């Protein structure tokens, strides 16, 4: 079931009154059944996966609490990791490994045929797996207390507003909210509904209106002028932002109506002045997950150990070989990786400070590569992660000198900030090309098409009406986001009921007038 | 309780604004110079009427009027399917004088674009038959348009009506030349290049063609069927063209019957040579101009002529007496 569909509105129309009519265990049970119904609407067979993950982490959690012996605790933890990552790996990466392996064997002259087994990706598996894993890791680290109530725990894992596309909410934030019944309040209903309307505006009016233009561009970039392609990637950057953050807004708003508080998942990411800031504003729940459970355990910006880096880097090396598709390309990949590793090792040997820096770069890169891989088994996501890893590294090298240069040139502060924002946005868009393109050839053709500057005239835009509509909608979004930035628009909405009514009504008019109501799926469902 | 009043205020304000906005937009659409606004206003009398999808925009009106001295009107629109074309023809005849001649580009029969059909929701206040076809293909859109009048105007058709609010769209045609990448990549097998023209697909369109022919005959309008030019190397990408030809012959005769068991000709290579210009029985002309424009600079892309190509095409049509 997706938010922007009629069945969802029927579901929520029945669910919410029942939810507030019930109390205690009965309400919790309704929440669980509702969540399973919501998920099962898409494909009930995959419910068993959610249930199995829930059961494993529930049992492991209980055992971890009782166990004091370190080795046994580690073993328990390993069981949870293997089951969770095993499911994730199997469903997400089986098809890819099968195809790559066969292509490689064929390339080496061995005859191999793909099995007819094509694995369907369960919706939201990456989200609920990470949510479930965070619970087990926190219990293992003794950061949180174990949850003994199975219904409560199962509801935490499968809570329908954020089950399929996040935000990934930590057990430490979410489970305590189940401790007592959430009461209905008008304020929550109004502010939650407001955030949902804002989310629908982003998804239905903006993201889905931009989608046809973007799809056309990436289907075959050779057919379009450089200006058309440039607009295409600008539109994609807003499409993916509005699609994903729109989903988060709807999820957070719905949860708020139900009495739960979720942390923000996006905070105007395209206003970031550097890449570290970008990752503090984009898909915050995943970035902070990766930071807390991967980047910091690896050593973060304070160093690290070769052992832990090796443990993560080796599978990435192996993956690169698979990705290569042929043994010759694999050899080239491995040579490059070996050369980079060798150069890094030499750099790190020079001084203790270099060693710390070297580890920080490696930790950054490993985190971003795994962040890319989290999206799926595709070279494009891997490369997208690599690019963002590189951005973070280059920023550490060049950030300060660039700042000094701007100051020396006596750039006014607003111009300096504007330049920073544009630079970050430009490189983010560059990485989006690889994220969106179906293969490397298309991505290369896309970038080549823009860089050629061929036919850089408004007349060369193939569907001017889509473009015009897109720019109007992006303009509206930016207007609201900038005014929120400057005048704290959200506060004004909270304080003034008249202003709130006007804002809601205007948004609803815009949705009715510009919205795309084809019940288009959310981009992040595929992850 | 006070909070509840605010919720009612949102709902009431939404509908009041929606109706007021809808009223203003409806007025603007009806005053527009866009082709369908003119048609439903009764300002579209002509001698020659054209119908087609985006390829039908190659019937470049200013030049046809210049070379023939006759008044023209074009019902063509991007991805216009035959069933919608038939309804538009009926509505044209309802609001305007009968033309002498109807020219139809038959390549409009290979798909039904429900998004486009739903876009015509904006003109449903003027036509019950248009309402019926929108309702048939996109019931939700039809009823949502009744609920929200702003939503009724949520379409590209409305945007075009605004774009052509005070200037005519008679000269609407692609104004670019096919780019070099596309010329070089015509043989590639990517989806965009693979040849989307498969004429064996939409059976229902032939019965719609049959109805269109009947409407023309009943109104004593001469009808001629044409295939507009394709970028020459692209012609080989077209499949099931013979199937189209046979079905068109059946559809335009009085003995037409729709057969769901018509043998499929999936991915059969095209033999355009077999489709010679000819006069068909029952007085309907069928003319193939698929390869009429050989100059690559006469195309905006593989399927659409630009002004230059349109002029070459129109000159050939004129020489063949199509406009007579």
């Amino acid at each position: 079931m997706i938010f922007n569909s009629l069945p969802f509105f029927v579901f929520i129309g029945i669910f919410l009154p029942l939810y507030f009519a019930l109390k205690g265990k009965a309400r919790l049970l309704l929440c669980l059944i509702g969540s399973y119904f919501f998920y099962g609407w898409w494909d009930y067979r995959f419910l068993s996966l959610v249930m199995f993950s829930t059961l494993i982490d529930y049992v492991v959690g209980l055992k971890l609490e009782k166990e004091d012996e370190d080795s046994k605790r580690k073993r328990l933890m390993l069981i949870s990791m293997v089951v969770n990552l095993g499911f994730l790996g199997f469903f997400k990466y089986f098809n890819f490994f099968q195809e790559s392996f066969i292509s490689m064997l064929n390339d080496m002259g061995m005859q191999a045929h793909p099995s007819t087994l094509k694995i369907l990706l369960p919706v939201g598996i990456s989200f609920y797996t990470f949510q479930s894993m965070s619970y087990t890791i926190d219990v293992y680290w003794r950061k949180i207390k174990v949850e003994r109530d199975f219904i409560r725990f199962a509801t935490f894992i499968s809570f329908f507003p954020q089950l399929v596309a996040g935000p990934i909410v930590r057990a430490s934030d979410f489970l305590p909210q189940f401790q007592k019944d959430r009461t209905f309040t008008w304020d929550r209903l109004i502010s939650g509904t407001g955030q949902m309307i804002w989310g629908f505006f982003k998804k239905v009016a903006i993201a889905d209106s931009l989608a046809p233009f973007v799809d056309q561009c990436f289907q075959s970039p050779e057919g379009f002028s450089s200006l058309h392609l440039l607009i295409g990637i600008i539109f994609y950057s807003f499409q993916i932002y509005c699609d994903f953050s729109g989903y988060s807004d709807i999820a957070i708003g719905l949860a708020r109506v139900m009495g739960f508080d979720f942390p923000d998942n996006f905070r105007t990411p395209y206003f970031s002045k550097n890449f570290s800031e970008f990752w503090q504003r984009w898909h915050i729940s995943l970035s902070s997950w990766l930071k807390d459970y991967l980047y910091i355990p690896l050593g973060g910006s304070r160093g690290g150990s070769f052992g832990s880096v090796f443990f993560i880097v080796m599978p990435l090396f192996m993956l690169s070989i698979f990705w290569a598709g042929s043994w010759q390309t694999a050899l080239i990949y491995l040579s490059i990786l070996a050369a980079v590793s060798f150069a890094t090792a030499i750099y790190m040997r020079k001084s203790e400070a270099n060693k710390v820096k070297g580890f920080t770069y490696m930790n950054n890169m490993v985190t971003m590569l795994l962040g890319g891989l989290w999206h799926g088994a595709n070279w494009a996501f891997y490369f997208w992660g690599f690019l963002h890893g590189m951005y973070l590294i280059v920023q550490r090298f060049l950030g300060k000198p660039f700042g000094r240069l701007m100051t020396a040139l006596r750039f006014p502060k607003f111009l300096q900030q504007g330049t920073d924002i544009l630079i970050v946005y430009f490189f983010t868009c560059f990485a989006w090309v690889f994220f969106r393109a179906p293969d490397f050839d298309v991505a290369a053709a896309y970038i080549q098409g823009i860089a050629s500057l061929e036919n850089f005239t408004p007349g060369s835009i193939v569907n001017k009406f889509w473009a015009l509509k897109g720019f109007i909608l992006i303009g509206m979004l930016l207007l609201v986001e900038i005014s929120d930035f400057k005048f704290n628009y959200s506060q004004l909405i909270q304080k003034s009921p008249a202003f709130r009514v006007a804002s809601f009504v205007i948004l609803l008019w815009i949705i009715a007038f510009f919205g795309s109501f084809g019940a288009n799926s959310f981009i992040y469902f595929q992850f | 309780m006070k909070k509840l009043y605010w919720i009612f205020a949102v709902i009431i304000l939404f509908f009041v604004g929606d109706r007021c906005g809808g009223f203003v937009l409806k007025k603007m659409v009806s005053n527009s110079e866009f082709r369908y606004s003119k048609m439903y206003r009764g300002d579209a009398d002509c001698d020659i009427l054209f119908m087609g999808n985006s390829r039908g925009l190659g019937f470049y009106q200013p030049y046809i009027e210049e070379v023939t001295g006759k008044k023209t009107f074009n019902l063509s629109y991007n991805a216009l399917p035959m069933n919608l074309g038939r309804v538009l023809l009926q509505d044209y005849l309802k609001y305007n004088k009968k033309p002498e001649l109807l020219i139809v580009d038959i390549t409009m029969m290979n798909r039904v674009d429900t998004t486009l059909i739903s876009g015509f929701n904006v003109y449903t206040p003027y036509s019950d038959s248009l309402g019926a076809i929108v309702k048939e293909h996109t019931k939700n859109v039809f009823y949502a348009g009744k609920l929200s009048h702003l939503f009724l105007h949520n379409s590209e058709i409305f945007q075009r009506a605004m774009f052509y609010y005070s200037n005519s769209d008679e000269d609407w045609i692609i104004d670019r030349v096919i780019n070099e990448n596309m010329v070089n990549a015509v043989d590639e097998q990517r989806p965009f290049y693979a040849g989307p023209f498969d004429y064996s697909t939409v059976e229902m369109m032939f019965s719609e063609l049959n109805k269109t022919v009947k409407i023309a005959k009943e109104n004593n309008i001469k009808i001629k069927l044409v295939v507009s030019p394709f970028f020459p190397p692209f012609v080989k990408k077209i499949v099931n063209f013979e199937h189209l030809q046979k079905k068109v012959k059946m559809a335009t005769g009085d003995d037409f019957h729709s057969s769901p068991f018509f043998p499929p000709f999936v991915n059969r290579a095209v033999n355009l040579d077999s489709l010679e210009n000819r006069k068909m029985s029952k007085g309907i002309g069928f003319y193939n101009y698929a390869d009429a424009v050989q100059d690559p600079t006469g195309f905006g892309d593989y399927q659409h002529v630009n002004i230059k190509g349109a002029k070459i095409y129109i000159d050939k049509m004129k020489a063949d007496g199509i406009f007579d």
Side-chain angles (χ1 to χ4, degrees), chain B residues 55 58-59 105 226-235 238 241 272-273 275 277 287-299 302-303 305 308-320 322:
Chain B
R55 289 163 42 73
F59 301 125
D105 183 331
V226 297
V227 174
S228 293
F230 287 101
F231 186 64
F234 184 75
V235 170
I238 304 166
F241 203 81
L272 281 176
D273 298 335
L275 184 67
N277 293 351
Y287 304 86
N288 174 24
Y289 289 99
D291 54 2
V293 179
Q294 289 295 319
D295 181 357
T297 61
F299 289 86
Y302 299 138
Q303 296 164 27
V305 286
K308 186 179 179 185
K311 286 183 176 174
I312 299 170
Y313 173 35
I314 290 162
D315 284 340
K316 290 205 172 173
M317 288 170 89
K318 170 93 171 80
D320 290 345
I322 303 288

Side-chain angles (χ1 to χ4, degrees), chain A residues 186-187 222 465 509 513 515, chain B residues 3-4 14 154 160 190 193:
Chain A
W186 284 103
D187 284 341
E222 294 92 340
F465 287 93
W509 286 337
F513 189 55
Chain B
K3 307 269 185 190
L4 206 59
F14 172 78
N154 177 353
R160 282 202 190 266
R190 289 215 186 121
Y193 303 121

Side-chain angles (χ1 to χ4, degrees), chain B residues 200-250:
Chain B
S200 66
T201 49
V202 189
E203 285 288 317
M204 175 261 280
M205 290 301 158
F206 295 101
S207 69
E208 290 294 337
L209 176 64
N210 180 256
K211 286 178 196 167
T212 305
V213 169
K214 275 185 183 159
I215 293 166
K217 280 182 178 172
E218 281 163 14
N219 286 280
N220 292 321
I221 302 166
K222 273 193 283 180
I223 180 164
K224 289 176 181 174
L225 309 177
V226 297
V227 174
S228 293
F230 287 101
F231 186 64
F234 184 75
V235 170
K236 63 184 175 204
K237 298 271 179 175
I238 304 166
V239 292
N240 294 320
F241 203 81
E242 286 177 16
H243 176 70
L244 172 79
Q245 182 194 345
K246 283 177 185 166
K247 290 292 285 182
V248 165
K249 279 169 74 177
M250 285 171 70

Side-chain angles (χ1 to χ4, degrees), chain A residues 93-233:
Chain A
Y93 307 112
F94 178 85
N95 291 338
F96 159 72
F97 278 116
Q98 182 185 246
E99 283 159 19
S100 303
F101 192 63
I102 284 164
S103 143
M104 211 161 162
L105 286 180
N106 288 341
D107 191 57
M108 291 164 85
M110 295 178 219
Q111 282 300 309
H113 301 285
S115 81
T116 49
L117 187 63
K118 280 279 172 200
I119 305 297
L120 191 67
L121 183 69
V123 164
I125 189 167
S126 314
F127 289 93
Y128 71 73
T129 302
F130 269 41
Q131 183 151 318
S132 188
M133 274 166 63
S134 78
Y135 165 79
T136 317
I137 298 170
D138 283 351
V139 171
Y140 174 75
W141 283 342
R142 298 192 197 281
K143 274 189 174 175
I144 57 167
K145 281 188 179 170
V146 74
E147 178 54 63
R148 297 182 171 282
D149 187 328
F150 181 73
I151 304 291
R152 196 179 289 159
F153 180 74
T155 312
F156 153 69
I157 299 293
S158 62
F159 191 61
F160 74 87
Q162 44 83 242
L163 172 64
V164 286
I168 303 163
V169 190
R170 307 287 179 82
S172 53
D173 292 330
F174 199 9
L175 276 172
Q177 298 189 51
F178 282 115
Q179 296 295 335
K180 58 177 181 181
D181 274 339
R182 319 307 294 176
T183 46
F184 172 84
T185 67
W186 284 103
D187 284 341
R188 280 188 167 277
L189 177 73
I190 290 167
S191 72
T193 309
Q195 187 149 6
M196 285 172 76
I197 294 174
W198 180 240
F200 278 115
F201 163 70
K202 280 181 177 171
K203 165 64 183 166
V204 177
I206 304 182
D208 289 350
S209 296
L210 300 177
F213 193 96
V214 173
D215 292 347
Q216 200 185 44
C217 287
F218 279 93
Q219 194 183 15
S220 188
E222 294 92 340
F224 301 103
S225 72
S226 56
L227 181 62
H228 188 98
L229 295 177
L230 183 67
I231 293 172
I233 192 58

Side-chain angles (χ1 to χ4, degrees), chain A residues 20-38:
Chain A
F20 285 113
L22 297 172
K23 295 257 178 266
K25 274 264 182 241
R27 181 189 278 188
L28 211 56
L29 199 62
L30 174 77
C31 226
L32 181 62
I33 293 168
S35 297
Y36 284 163
F37 178 79
F38 179 89

Side-chain angles (χ1 to χ4, degrees), chain A residues 463 465-466, chain B residues 34-37 50-59 61 74-82 84-85 88 105 107-108 111 113 115-120 122-123 155-164 169 172 304:
Chain A
N463 198 324
F465 287 93
W466 290 355
Chain B
F34 186 43
R35 58 191 60 191
Y36 305 112
S37 295
F50 298 100
M51 190 199 290
N53 52 21
S54 55
R55 289 163 42 73
L57 297 172
F59 301 125
Q61 288 171 259
N74 198 343
L75 291 174
S76 305
Y77 195 85
N78 300 336
L80 187 85
M82 196 69 219
L84 185 54
L88 290 174
D105 183 331
T107 55
M108 66 190 289
R111 65 171 166 156
D113 186 332
T115 311
L116 175 73
I117 292 174
S118 68
F120 273 85
V122 69
Y123 288 108
S155 67
E156 187 188 301
I157 300 288
F158 167 76
Q159 289 159 22
R160 282 202 190 266
M162 291 302 98
F163 185 78
Y164 293 113
D169 67 345
W172 175 19
H304 304 98

Side-chain angles (χ1 to χ4, degrees), chain A residues 517-518, chain B residues 112-121 124 130-145 151:
Chain A
F517 295 90
Chain B
V112 181
D113 186 332
T114 50
T115 311
L116 175 73
I117 292 174
S118 68
F120 273 85
N121 212 4
T124 49
L130 192 60
I133 200 169
V134 173
K135 193 172 161 186
E136 181 194 335
H137 286 277
T138 53
K139 202 177 261 180
N140 292 345
V141 172
F142 179 76
Y143 286 116
F151 178 77

